[in-house]
Amino acid sequence: ETHGISFRIQIGVKELLDTDVLLKLLFHLPVNYPSTLPDISVNSDQLTRAQCRDVKEKLLEQAKKHLSEPMVHDLILWVQQHLKDVIKQSAAVCSEKTTLSNGTEDGIWVLLLHLDHMRAKAKYVKTVEKWASDLRLTGRLMFMGKIILILLQGDRSSIKEYLILQKTSKVDVDSSGKKCKEKMMRVLCETEVQSQHKRFQTFEVKEYSTPEELQKEFETAGLTTLFSEFVPPLLK
């Protein structure tokens, strides 16, 4: 009612060499969809990051043609029919657009999440590590006592995609052991990286025994303000 609907669709598409390309499409339909365009994320192990971005841009172009009418089905049909052409065009573009420059398009962002608990901790941690790796996000999964924080840095589009995954995937188990989605997550902060922030080079899972240790991790990354604004209330 307030956030709209998010869902993931996987489709196989015959590509140039008649091999199946598995496309993972994430759609977030806002409350006022279809009067408002959906958010779309595209992922595929067989395509480069640049190709996935090109597919996403083409899908959004198509979406604009269907504004104010249901469009998800049409968009899926379109990408099945035109993926070859998009990949050809993408390959023809000058290779100057390296993955290093991708981040400059919409800036590097930082995201701080608070999780209430992890019942299936080992599986949950592995899932978060995989998402961070797939989306080329760096940062920390932090444990201190009962406090669980996820701090991520990366392209804004990747940060958005991570949030959709976190909200829509069955990452944990409930009290009866059944797989369940994360319902107790809070976004503490989502903002553009400032000049004083330092970039984490990797994504790591770390445990801290004192608030001072946790604070030092934030300070090392130039995120002292982020810590002082959002973490102390969790320690009470």
Side-chain angles (χ1 to χ4, degrees):
E1 291 176 7
T2 54
H3 300 295
I5 300 170
S6 295
F7 58 90
R8 187 188 323 178
I9 293 176
Q10 296 195 122
I11 54 169
V13 186
K14 286 280 184 218
E15 209 257 302
L16 298 170
L17 301 171
D18 286 331
T19 54
D20 272 350
V21 172
L22 187 65
L23 276 186
K24 300 167 191 172
L25 305 172
L26 279 164
F27 290 92
H28 174 247
L29 310 185
V31 178
N32 45 1
Y33 166 87
S35 303
T36 305
L37 291 177
D39 273 335
I40 305 171
S41 293
V42 178
N43 235 315
S44 175
D45 293 338
Q46 291 103 323
L47 300 181
T48 66
R49 202 161 167 216
Q51 287 171 330
C52 287
R53 192 182 64 245
D54 288 344
V55 172
K56 173 186 168 178
E57 284 171 3
K58 294 293 182 189
L59 278 172
L60 286 171
E61 280 175 24
Q62 291 303 310
K64 286 172 187 170
K65 297 177 184 177
H66 295 280
L67 202 56
S68 80
E69 61 188 61
M71 64 185 79
V72 174
H73 184 249
D74 289 318
L75 294 177
I76 290 165
L77 289 178
W78 184 89
V79 80
Q80 285 176 317
Q81 292 163 6
H82 296 90
L83 182 66
K84 272 186 188 180
D85 302 328
V86 177
I87 292 174
K88 274 182 183 173
Q89 285 174 6
S90 184
V93 172
C94 180
S95 61
E96 282 175 16
K97 283 188 176 180
T98 62
T99 50
L100 289 173
S101 66
N102 286 347
T104 60
E105 288 182 11
D106 47 8
I108 300 298
W109 280 60
V110 61
L111 174 71
L112 182 63
L113 302 175
H114 174 242
L115 302 182
D116 185 72
H117 62 270
M118 287 182 179
R119 282 200 175 92
K121 184 176 174 181
K123 178 181 174 292
Y124 205 132
V125 168
K126 210 174 212 178
T127 302
V128 171
E129 286 181 311
K130 184 179 186 310
W131 288 342
S133 171
D134 288 349
L135 295 168
R136 299 192 186 185
L137 297 170
T138 59
R140 299 285 184 267
L141 170 51
M142 304 165 163
F143 294 94
M144 199 214 74
K146 291 184 177 179
I147 294 171
I148 306 169
L149 298 170
I150 300 176
L151 180 63
L152 297 169
Q153 292 175 329
D155 294 0
R156 191 179 186 187
S157 57
S158 296
I159 292 282
K160 278 188 170 183
E161 200 162 320
Y162 179 92
L163 270 174
I164 294 173
L165 284 167
Q166 183 80 55
K167 289 173 184 172
T168 58
S169 305
K170 291 185 176 179
V171 286
D172 207 358
V173 295
D174 61 18
S175 54
S176 62
K178 288 181 182 172
K179 289 182 180 179
C180 66
K181 294 176 184 177
E182 178 57 73
K183 293 175 182 171
M184 304 284 283
M185 177 192 79
R186 281 196 302 145
V187 178
L188 299 179
C189 181
E190 185 182 358
T191 184
E192 194 162 8
V193 167
Q194 305 302 312
S195 55
Q196 71 270 24
H197 298 168
K198 296 183 180 70
R199 289 292 306 277
F200 287 112
Q201 297 304 307
T202 57
F203 181 82
E204 294 176 31
V205 180
K206 296 182 86 171
E207 302 219 4
Y208 309 85
S209 50
T210 66
E212 289 73 28
E213 279 183 25
L214 189 62
Q215 185 172 354
K216 195 172 180 183
E217 185 78 82
F218 278 80
E219 286 173 354
T220 306
L223 297 169
T224 308
T225 311
L226 196 70
F227 178 89
S228 57
E229 194 171 340
F230 298 103
V231 181
L234 304 174
L235 301 170
K236 290 173 183 173

